[in-house]
Each structure stands twice: as C-alpha cells, then as structure tokens.
Amino acid sequence: MLREISVLARLNLCNIYGINVFLNNKDKKAKKVYVALSATILFLVALVAVYVGMLVYGYAAIGLGEVIPAYLIMISSLIVLMFGLFKAGSVIFEKKGYDILCSLPVSSKTIVIARFIRMYVENIIFALVVMVPGIIVYGFLIKPAISFYLGGIIVTFLVPFAPMTIAIIIGALITAISSRTKYKSIIGAIIPIIIVVSSLAMTGRLSAVEGQLT
C-alpha cells in the first residue's frame, strides 16, 4: 500500500500548480499567461512575507513578543484553511481521472491519501510563507534559545494538518450539498466565500477585543 501511495503521490505532485502542463504546453500564449500569473502570485507572496515581518516587528516593539508565535500559527492556519476550502473539493473529491484510477489495482483509500499528500505539499508552502519570515524577524529581535528554532521548524510542518482536516470536512459537506442542487458550481463557490469572510470578520473582531484588553 505504501508503494501505491508513493507512486500516486508522485503523479499528483508532477502537476502541482500546473507546472507539468506549463512545461509541456506548446501554446506560447498560454505560457505567457501562466508566467504573468506566477509573477503576480510571487508578488503577493512577497507582500505577505513583508506584512508578517512588519507585524512581528510591531508586536515586539510594544512588548508583546510572547504572543508572536501564537499569532504566526493562527495566521498560517487561517491562510491554509481559506485556500483549503477552495481546493478541497477540486483535489480530494475531483472526479476527473477517478474512473481510470479505480480501474487500477488500488483502493479508494490509497487514492484519497495520495491526494491528501498533494494538498499538504501545496499548503505547507503557504505555511512557510508566513512562518519563515516571522521566525527570522522574531529571532533577530527577541533572540530566543536555539530550541525555539527547532520547535518552529517542527510546528511549521505540523500547522497545515488541523486546518486541512477542517477544510476537507467542510469541503465534503459543500460537495454533498451542492451535488443535490441545480446550481452546483455557484453554490460550491459561494459557500466557501461566506465561510472565509465570516472567519476573517471573527478574527478581526477578536484582534480588536484583544487590543482593547491590552
């Protein structure tokens, strides 16, 4: 079973972020669009990294350095959850190619695990974008013990699991609900947006309350 999972996971990872399609695509226009989109995403990643660094610096400057690790974990988890809500349905419950895979001597459990690994790899990148600059700035300002960095590395790779699991459960519910309606695509898109906006509103409210308390 491990060998089957390994093979399927490698196949899924071959086209992570559409890299395989880009490398084998003969359409120059499509490649230019992909490059432009990738450049935009990298720019947004840089903005997130700068924002995290400024956030850490700000909290350290006002003497709230002890809450920074928890905030980094919260931000990482929220980002993974948001993207996971939009990706869970298309990755875990994707029907495309499922019939072909089912015809092979592999179980449905193996297929789901392989897809979960792909989703984890995609989400660990989001976690790294937040955690790495945060840990670097925190380390430069607070100068914690070496154990902090070791713990930070371990926590960074564990962060995606909880929000991913929540996203998959919600994704399964959304798929079940939308599949019973006439407008599957619209409902499948609207529900994650409502959940994401509600989560951001709740996070902002909690931050405001905490700011008043401090």
Side-chain angles (χ1 to χ4, degrees), residues 116-173:
F116 184 87
I117 292 173
R118 173 189 169 175
M119 191 173 173
Y120 171 78
V121 172
E122 289 182 339
N123 285 318
I124 195 64
I125 295 174
F126 295 129
L128 288 170
V129 168
V130 174
M131 297 295 289
V132 170
I135 290 173
I136 291 174
V137 176
Y138 181 86
F140 179 77
L141 296 174
I142 308 298
K143 296 178 174 56
I146 191 68
S147 58
F148 167 79
Y149 299 99
L150 296 176
I153 293 171
I154 295 172
V155 169
T156 299
F157 284 93
L158 293 178
V159 161
F161 283 105
M164 272 178 58
T165 302
I166 295 172
I168 290 171
I169 293 172
I170 297 176
L173 293 174

Short mmCIF file of all heavy atoms in Angstrom, two decimals, residues 116-173:
data_model
loop_
_atom_site.label_atom_id
_atom_site.label_comp_id
_atom_site.label_asym_id
_atom_site.label_seq_id
_atom_site.Cartn_x
_atom_site.Cartn_y
_atom_site.Cartn_z
N PHE A 116 -4.39 13.70 -0.57
CA PHE A 116 -4.17 14.45 0.67
C PHE A 116 -2.71 14.91 0.74
O PHE A 116 -2.43 16.04 1.18
CB PHE A 116 -4.51 13.57 1.87
CG PHE A 116 -4.40 14.28 3.20
CD1 PHE A 116 -5.46 15.00 3.71
CD2 PHE A 116 -3.22 14.25 3.92
CE1 PHE A 116 -5.36 15.66 4.92
CE2 PHE A 116 -3.10 14.90 5.14
CZ PHE A 116 -4.18 15.61 5.65
N ILE A 117 -1.78 14.06 0.32
CA ILE A 117 -0.36 14.41 0.33
C ILE A 117 -0.11 15.59 -0.61
O ILE A 117 0.63 16.52 -0.27
CB ILE A 117 0.51 13.20 -0.08
CG1 ILE A 117 0.45 12.12 1.01
CG2 ILE A 117 1.96 13.62 -0.32
CD1 ILE A 117 1.12 10.83 0.63
N ARG A 118 -0.74 15.56 -1.78
CA ARG A 118 -0.59 16.68 -2.71
C ARG A 118 -1.12 17.97 -2.08
O ARG A 118 -0.46 19.03 -2.16
CB ARG A 118 -1.35 16.40 -4.00
CG ARG A 118 -1.35 17.62 -4.93
CD ARG A 118 -2.26 17.46 -6.11
NE ARG A 118 -2.41 18.74 -6.79
CZ ARG A 118 -3.08 18.90 -7.94
NH1 ARG A 118 -3.64 17.87 -8.53
NH2 ARG A 118 -3.19 20.09 -8.49
N MET A 119 -2.27 17.88 -1.45
CA MET A 119 -2.86 19.06 -0.82
C MET A 119 -1.97 19.57 0.32
O MET A 119 -1.83 20.78 0.52
CB MET A 119 -4.25 18.71 -0.29
CG MET A 119 -5.07 19.89 0.15
SD MET A 119 -6.77 19.40 0.58
CE MET A 119 -7.39 20.96 1.23
N TYR A 120 -1.34 18.64 1.04
CA TYR A 120 -0.44 19.03 2.14
C TYR A 120 0.77 19.79 1.59
O TYR A 120 1.17 20.81 2.16
CB TYR A 120 0.02 17.79 2.90
CG TYR A 120 1.11 18.09 3.90
CD1 TYR A 120 0.80 18.66 5.14
CD2 TYR A 120 2.44 17.80 3.62
CE1 TYR A 120 1.80 18.95 6.05
CE2 TYR A 120 3.44 18.09 4.52
CZ TYR A 120 3.13 18.66 5.74
OH TYR A 120 4.11 18.96 6.64
N VAL A 121 1.34 19.30 0.51
CA VAL A 121 2.52 19.96 -0.07
C VAL A 121 2.16 21.36 -0.53
O VAL A 121 2.93 22.32 -0.35
CB VAL A 121 3.07 19.13 -1.25
CG1 VAL A 121 4.17 19.89 -1.98
CG2 VAL A 121 3.62 17.79 -0.75
N GLU A 122 0.98 21.52 -1.14
CA GLU A 122 0.55 22.85 -1.57
C GLU A 122 0.38 23.79 -0.38
O GLU A 122 0.78 24.95 -0.43
CB GLU A 122 -0.78 22.74 -2.33
CG GLU A 122 -0.64 22.09 -3.71
CD GLU A 122 -1.96 22.05 -4.45
OE1 GLU A 122 -3.02 22.14 -3.78
OE2 GLU A 122 -1.95 21.94 -5.68
N ASN A 123 -0.20 23.26 0.70
CA ASN A 123 -0.48 24.10 1.86
C ASN A 123 0.75 24.38 2.71
O ASN A 123 0.82 25.41 3.38
CB ASN A 123 -1.57 23.46 2.72
CG ASN A 123 -2.95 23.60 2.09
OD1 ASN A 123 -3.30 24.64 1.58
ND2 ASN A 123 -3.73 22.53 2.11
N ILE A 124 1.73 23.47 2.71
CA ILE A 124 2.94 23.71 3.51
C ILE A 124 3.69 24.92 2.95
O ILE A 124 4.38 25.64 3.69
CB ILE A 124 3.86 22.46 3.53
CG1 ILE A 124 4.90 22.58 4.65
CG2 ILE A 124 4.55 22.26 2.21
CD1 ILE A 124 4.34 22.61 6.03
N ILE A 125 3.53 25.17 1.66
CA ILE A 125 4.15 26.35 1.06
C ILE A 125 3.55 27.62 1.65
O ILE A 125 4.26 28.58 1.97
CB ILE A 125 4.00 26.32 -0.47
CG1 ILE A 125 4.77 25.12 -1.05
CG2 ILE A 125 4.49 27.62 -1.09
CD1 ILE A 125 4.58 24.90 -2.52
N PHE A 126 2.21 27.62 1.83
CA PHE A 126 1.55 28.78 2.45
C PHE A 126 2.04 28.97 3.88
O PHE A 126 2.28 30.10 4.33
CB PHE A 126 0.03 28.60 2.46
CG PHE A 126 -0.58 28.56 1.09
CD1 PHE A 126 -1.44 27.54 0.71
CD2 PHE A 126 -0.30 29.54 0.16
CE1 PHE A 126 -2.00 27.50 -0.54
CE2 PHE A 126 -0.86 29.53 -1.10
CZ PHE A 126 -1.71 28.49 -1.46
N ALA A 127 2.18 27.87 4.60
CA ALA A 127 2.65 27.95 5.99
C ALA A 127 4.07 28.49 6.05
O ALA A 127 4.41 29.30 6.92
CB ALA A 127 2.57 26.57 6.65
N LEU A 128 4.91 28.06 5.12
CA LEU A 128 6.30 28.52 5.10
C LEU A 128 6.38 30.02 4.81
O LEU A 128 7.24 30.72 5.36
CB LEU A 128 7.09 27.74 4.04
CG LEU A 128 7.40 26.28 4.37
CD1 LEU A 128 7.97 25.56 3.14
CD2 LEU A 128 8.39 26.19 5.53
N VAL A 129 5.50 30.51 3.93
CA VAL A 129 5.50 31.94 3.59
C VAL A 129 5.25 32.79 4.82
O VAL A 129 5.81 33.89 4.95
CB VAL A 129 4.43 32.23 2.51
CG1 VAL A 129 4.21 33.73 2.35
CG2 VAL A 129 4.83 31.61 1.19
N VAL A 130 4.45 32.30 5.75
CA VAL A 130 4.15 33.05 6.98
C VAL A 130 5.18 32.78 8.06
O VAL A 130 5.72 33.70 8.68
CB VAL A 130 2.74 32.70 7.50
CG1 VAL A 130 2.48 33.37 8.85
CG2 VAL A 130 1.68 33.12 6.49
N MET A 131 5.47 31.51 8.30
CA MET A 131 6.29 31.12 9.44
C MET A 131 7.76 31.52 9.27
O MET A 131 8.39 31.99 10.23
CB MET A 131 6.18 29.62 9.67
CG MET A 131 4.79 29.14 10.05
SD MET A 131 4.19 29.76 11.63
CE MET A 131 5.24 28.85 12.77
N VAL A 132 8.32 31.32 8.08
CA VAL A 132 9.76 31.58 7.89
C VAL A 132 10.13 33.04 8.14
O VAL A 132 11.01 33.34 8.95
CB VAL A 132 10.22 31.11 6.49
CG1 VAL A 132 11.64 31.59 6.21
CG2 VAL A 132 10.17 29.59 6.41
N PRO A 133 9.47 34.02 7.45
CA PRO A 133 9.84 35.41 7.74
C PRO A 133 9.51 35.81 9.18
O PRO A 133 10.24 36.59 9.79
CB PRO A 133 9.00 36.22 6.75
CG PRO A 133 7.90 35.32 6.32
CD PRO A 133 8.46 33.95 6.37
N GLY A 134 8.42 35.25 9.73
CA GLY A 134 8.07 35.55 11.11
C GLY A 134 9.12 35.06 12.09
O GLY A 134 9.51 35.78 13.02
N ILE A 135 9.59 33.84 11.88
CA ILE A 135 10.62 33.26 12.76
C ILE A 135 11.93 34.03 12.63
O ILE A 135 12.63 34.28 13.63
CB ILE A 135 10.82 31.77 12.43
CG1 ILE A 135 9.59 30.97 12.87
CG2 ILE A 135 12.07 31.22 13.11
CD1 ILE A 135 9.61 29.51 12.45
N ILE A 136 12.28 34.42 11.40
CA ILE A 136 13.53 35.15 11.18
C ILE A 136 13.51 36.50 11.91
O ILE A 136 14.45 36.85 12.63
CB ILE A 136 13.78 35.35 9.67
CG1 ILE A 136 14.10 34.01 9.00
CG2 ILE A 136 14.93 36.33 9.44
CD1 ILE A 136 14.20 34.07 7.50
N VAL A 137 12.42 37.27 11.72
CA VAL A 137 12.32 38.59 12.36
C VAL A 137 12.23 38.44 13.88
O VAL A 137 12.86 39.20 14.62
CB VAL A 137 11.10 39.37 11.81
CG1 VAL A 137 10.94 40.70 12.55
CG2 VAL A 137 11.24 39.60 10.32
N TYR A 138 11.46 37.46 14.33
CA TYR A 138 11.33 37.21 15.77
C TYR A 138 12.69 36.85 16.37
O TYR A 138 13.06 37.34 17.44
CB TYR A 138 10.33 36.08 16.00
CG TYR A 138 10.09 35.74 17.46
CD1 TYR A 138 9.15 36.43 18.20
CD2 TYR A 138 10.82 34.73 18.08
CE1 TYR A 138 8.93 36.13 19.54
CE2 TYR A 138 10.61 34.42 19.42
CZ TYR A 138 9.66 35.13 20.14
OH TYR A 138 9.45 34.82 21.47
N GLY A 139 13.43 35.99 15.69
CA GLY A 139 14.74 35.60 16.18
C GLY A 139 15.71 36.76 16.22
O GLY A 139 16.51 36.88 17.16
N PHE A 140 15.63 37.64 15.23
CA PHE A 140 16.53 38.81 15.18
C PHE A 140 16.23 39.79 16.31
O PHE A 140 17.15 40.37 16.90
CB PHE A 140 16.38 39.51 13.82
CG PHE A 140 17.24 40.73 13.67
CD1 PHE A 140 18.60 40.63 13.43
CD2 PHE A 140 16.67 42.00 13.80
CE1 PHE A 140 19.39 41.76 13.30
CE2 PHE A 140 17.46 43.14 13.67
CZ PHE A 140 18.82 43.02 13.42
N LEU A 141 14.95 39.95 16.63
CA LEU A 141 14.56 40.94 17.63
C LEU A 141 14.59 40.39 19.06
O LEU A 141 15.07 41.05 19.98
CB LEU A 141 13.14 41.46 17.33
CG LEU A 141 12.97 42.23 16.01
CD1 LEU A 141 11.50 42.55 15.78
CD2 LEU A 141 13.80 43.52 16.02
N ILE A 142 14.07 39.18 19.25
CA ILE A 142 13.92 38.61 20.59
C ILE A 142 15.14 37.80 21.01
O ILE A 142 15.46 37.70 22.19
CB ILE A 142 12.65 37.75 20.67
CG1 ILE A 142 11.43 38.55 20.17
CG2 ILE A 142 12.41 37.25 22.09
CD1 ILE A 142 11.12 39.78 20.98
N LYS A 143 15.83 37.22 20.01
CA LYS A 143 16.99 36.36 20.26
C LYS A 143 16.68 35.22 21.24
O LYS A 143 17.24 35.13 22.34
CB LYS A 143 18.17 37.20 20.79
CG LYS A 143 18.67 38.22 19.76
CD LYS A 143 19.80 39.05 20.31
CE LYS A 143 20.38 39.94 19.23
NZ LYS A 143 19.38 40.82 18.58
N PRO A 144 15.75 34.33 20.84
CA PRO A 144 15.38 33.22 21.71
C PRO A 144 16.44 32.11 21.69
O PRO A 144 17.41 32.18 20.93
CB PRO A 144 14.07 32.71 21.09
CG PRO A 144 14.23 33.03 19.63
CD PRO A 144 15.00 34.32 19.58
N ALA A 145 16.23 31.10 22.52
CA ALA A 145 17.16 29.96 22.56
C ALA A 145 17.05 29.15 21.28
O ALA A 145 16.06 29.24 20.54
CB ALA A 145 16.84 29.08 23.77
N ILE A 146 18.05 28.32 21.02
CA ILE A 146 18.09 27.51 19.80
C ILE A 146 16.91 26.56 19.72
O ILE A 146 16.46 26.18 18.64
CB ILE A 146 19.43 26.72 19.72
CG1 ILE A 146 19.60 26.09 18.33
CG2 ILE A 146 19.49 25.65 20.81
CD1 ILE A 146 19.82 27.09 17.24
N SER A 147 16.37 26.18 20.89
CA SER A 147 15.22 25.27 20.93
C SER A 147 14.00 25.89 20.25
O SER A 147 13.15 25.18 19.72
CB SER A 147 14.87 24.90 22.37
OG SER A 147 14.60 26.07 23.13
N PHE A 148 13.92 27.24 20.25
CA PHE A 148 12.81 27.91 19.58
C PHE A 148 12.82 27.62 18.09
O PHE A 148 11.77 27.36 17.49
CB PHE A 148 12.89 29.42 19.83
CG PHE A 148 11.97 30.22 18.93
CD1 PHE A 148 10.62 30.31 19.22
CD2 PHE A 148 12.46 30.86 17.79
CE1 PHE A 148 9.77 31.05 18.38
CE2 PHE A 148 11.62 31.58 16.96
CZ PHE A 148 10.28 31.68 17.27
N TYR A 149 14.00 27.67 17.48
CA TYR A 149 14.10 27.44 16.04
C TYR A 149 13.77 25.98 15.70
O TYR A 149 13.10 25.73 14.70
CB TYR A 149 15.50 27.79 15.56
CG TYR A 149 15.86 29.24 15.77
CD1 TYR A 149 16.64 29.64 16.85
CD2 TYR A 149 15.40 30.22 14.90
CE1 TYR A 149 16.97 30.97 17.05
CE2 TYR A 149 15.72 31.56 15.09
CZ TYR A 149 16.50 31.93 16.18
OH TYR A 149 16.81 33.24 16.37
N LEU A 150 14.24 25.06 16.53
CA LEU A 150 13.93 23.64 16.30
C LEU A 150 12.43 23.40 16.42
O LEU A 150 11.82 22.72 15.59
CB LEU A 150 14.70 22.77 17.29
CG LEU A 150 16.23 22.82 17.18
CD1 LEU A 150 16.87 21.99 18.30
CD2 LEU A 150 16.69 22.32 15.82
N GLY A 151 11.84 23.99 17.47
CA GLY A 151 10.39 23.86 17.65
C GLY A 151 9.63 24.53 16.53
O GLY A 151 8.59 24.02 16.08
N GLY A 152 10.14 25.68 16.06
CA GLY A 152 9.49 26.40 14.98
C GLY A 152 9.44 25.60 13.69
O GLY A 152 8.44 25.61 12.97
N ILE A 153 10.55 24.90 13.40
CA ILE A 153 10.59 24.06 12.19
C ILE A 153 9.57 22.94 12.28
O ILE A 153 8.82 22.66 11.32
CB ILE A 153 12.01 23.48 12.00
CG1 ILE A 153 13.00 24.61 11.69
CG2 ILE A 153 12.01 22.44 10.87
CD1 ILE A 153 14.44 24.16 11.69
N ILE A 154 9.51 22.28 13.44
CA ILE A 154 8.57 21.18 13.62
C ILE A 154 7.12 21.67 13.52
O ILE A 154 6.29 21.09 12.82
CB ILE A 154 8.80 20.49 14.99
CG1 ILE A 154 10.17 19.83 15.01
CG2 ILE A 154 7.71 19.45 15.27
CD1 ILE A 154 10.59 19.30 16.38
N VAL A 155 6.83 22.78 14.22
CA VAL A 155 5.48 23.34 14.22
C VAL A 155 5.06 23.76 12.82
O VAL A 155 3.91 23.56 12.41
CB VAL A 155 5.39 24.53 15.19
CG1 VAL A 155 4.06 25.28 15.01
CG2 VAL A 155 5.51 24.05 16.63
N THR A 156 5.99 24.35 12.07
CA THR A 156 5.67 24.80 10.70
C THR A 156 5.15 23.67 9.84
O THR A 156 4.18 23.84 9.08
CB THR A 156 6.92 25.42 10.04
OG1 THR A 156 7.35 26.55 10.80
CG2 THR A 156 6.63 25.85 8.61
N PHE A 157 5.76 22.48 9.97
CA PHE A 157 5.34 21.35 9.15
C PHE A 157 4.11 20.64 9.72
O PHE A 157 3.51 19.81 9.03
CB PHE A 157 6.50 20.35 9.00
CG PHE A 157 7.55 20.82 8.04
CD1 PHE A 157 8.66 21.53 8.48
CD2 PHE A 157 7.43 20.58 6.68
CE1 PHE A 157 9.63 21.98 7.59
CE2 PHE A 157 8.39 21.03 5.78
CZ PHE A 157 9.49 21.73 6.24
N LEU A 158 3.74 20.97 10.96
CA LEU A 158 2.53 20.40 11.56
C LEU A 158 1.32 21.31 11.41
O LEU A 158 0.17 20.83 11.46
CB LEU A 158 2.77 20.11 13.04
CG LEU A 158 3.79 19.02 13.39
CD1 LEU A 158 3.94 18.90 14.90
CD2 LEU A 158 3.37 17.67 12.81
N VAL A 159 1.57 22.61 11.23
CA VAL A 159 0.49 23.60 11.17
C VAL A 159 -0.62 23.24 10.17
O VAL A 159 -1.80 23.37 10.49
CB VAL A 159 1.06 25.00 10.86
CG1 VAL A 159 -0.03 25.94 10.33
CG2 VAL A 159 1.67 25.61 12.11
N PRO A 160 -0.30 22.79 8.93
CA PRO A 160 -1.36 22.59 7.95
C PRO A 160 -2.37 21.49 8.28
O PRO A 160 -3.48 21.50 7.75
CB PRO A 160 -0.60 22.23 6.65
CG PRO A 160 0.77 22.76 6.86
CD PRO A 160 1.03 22.62 8.32
N PHE A 161 -2.01 20.53 9.13
CA PHE A 161 -2.86 19.36 9.32
C PHE A 161 -4.25 19.70 9.85
O PHE A 161 -5.27 19.24 9.31
CB PHE A 161 -2.18 18.35 10.24
CG PHE A 161 -1.10 17.55 9.57
CD1 PHE A 161 0.23 17.82 9.83
CD2 PHE A 161 -1.43 16.57 8.66
CE1 PHE A 161 1.23 17.10 9.20
CE2 PHE A 161 -0.44 15.84 8.02
CZ PHE A 161 0.90 16.10 8.30
N ALA A 162 -4.34 20.50 10.92
CA ALA A 162 -5.65 20.82 11.51
C ALA A 162 -6.54 21.61 10.55
O ALA A 162 -7.68 21.20 10.29
CB ALA A 162 -5.46 21.57 12.83
N PRO A 163 -6.06 22.74 9.98
CA PRO A 163 -6.94 23.48 9.04
C PRO A 163 -7.25 22.68 7.79
O PRO A 163 -8.34 22.82 7.22
CB PRO A 163 -6.12 24.73 8.71
CG PRO A 163 -4.72 24.43 9.09
CD PRO A 163 -4.81 23.47 10.23
N MET A 164 -6.33 21.83 7.34
CA MET A 164 -6.60 20.98 6.18
C MET A 164 -7.73 20.01 6.46
O MET A 164 -8.63 19.80 5.64
CB MET A 164 -5.35 20.19 5.77
CG MET A 164 -4.43 20.91 4.81
SD MET A 164 -2.97 19.90 4.45
CE MET A 164 -3.73 18.43 3.79
N THR A 165 -7.69 19.39 7.64
CA THR A 165 -8.73 18.44 8.03
C THR A 165 -10.08 19.12 8.10
O THR A 165 -11.09 18.60 7.61
CB THR A 165 -8.40 17.81 9.40
OG1 THR A 165 -7.11 17.17 9.32
CG2 THR A 165 -9.44 16.77 9.78
N ILE A 166 -10.11 20.32 8.70
CA ILE A 166 -11.35 21.09 8.78
C ILE A 166 -11.85 21.44 7.38
O ILE A 166 -13.05 21.32 7.07
CB ILE A 166 -11.15 22.37 9.61
CG1 ILE A 166 -10.82 22.01 11.07
CG2 ILE A 166 -12.39 23.26 9.55
CD1 ILE A 166 -10.42 23.19 11.91
N ALA A 167 -10.91 21.87 6.51
CA ALA A 167 -11.28 22.25 5.14
C ALA A 167 -11.84 21.06 4.37
O ALA A 167 -12.81 21.20 3.60
CB ALA A 167 -10.05 22.81 4.41
N ILE A 168 -11.25 19.88 4.57
CA ILE A 168 -11.73 18.69 3.86
C ILE A 168 -13.13 18.30 4.34
O ILE A 168 -13.99 17.94 3.53
CB ILE A 168 -10.74 17.52 4.07
CG1 ILE A 168 -9.45 17.80 3.30
CG2 ILE A 168 -11.35 16.20 3.59
CD1 ILE A 168 -8.33 16.82 3.60
N ILE A 169 -13.37 18.39 5.66
CA ILE A 169 -14.69 18.06 6.20
C ILE A 169 -15.74 19.03 5.65
O ILE A 169 -16.81 18.62 5.18
CB ILE A 169 -14.68 18.11 7.74
CG1 ILE A 169 -13.80 16.98 8.29
CG2 ILE A 169 -16.09 17.98 8.30
CD1 ILE A 169 -13.57 17.05 9.78
N ILE A 170 -15.40 20.33 5.69
CA ILE A 170 -16.33 21.33 5.15
C ILE A 170 -16.49 21.15 3.65
O ILE A 170 -17.59 21.28 3.11
CB ILE A 170 -15.83 22.75 5.47
CG1 ILE A 170 -15.80 22.99 6.97
CG2 ILE A 170 -16.72 23.80 4.79
CD1 ILE A 170 -15.22 24.32 7.39
N GLY A 171 -15.38 20.83 2.96
CA GLY A 171 -15.44 20.59 1.52
C GLY A 171 -16.35 19.43 1.18
O GLY A 171 -17.08 19.46 0.18
N ALA A 172 -16.31 18.38 2.00
CA ALA A 172 -17.18 17.22 1.79
C ALA A 172 -18.65 17.61 1.96
O ALA A 172 -19.51 17.19 1.17
CB ALA A 172 -16.81 16.11 2.76
N LEU A 173 -18.91 18.44 2.97
CA LEU A 173 -20.29 18.90 3.20
C LEU A 173 -20.77 19.79 2.05
O LEU A 173 -21.90 19.66 1.59
CB LEU A 173 -20.37 19.67 4.52
CG LEU A 173 -20.14 18.85 5.79
CD1 LEU A 173 -20.10 19.76 7.02
CD2 LEU A 173 -21.22 17.79 5.96
#
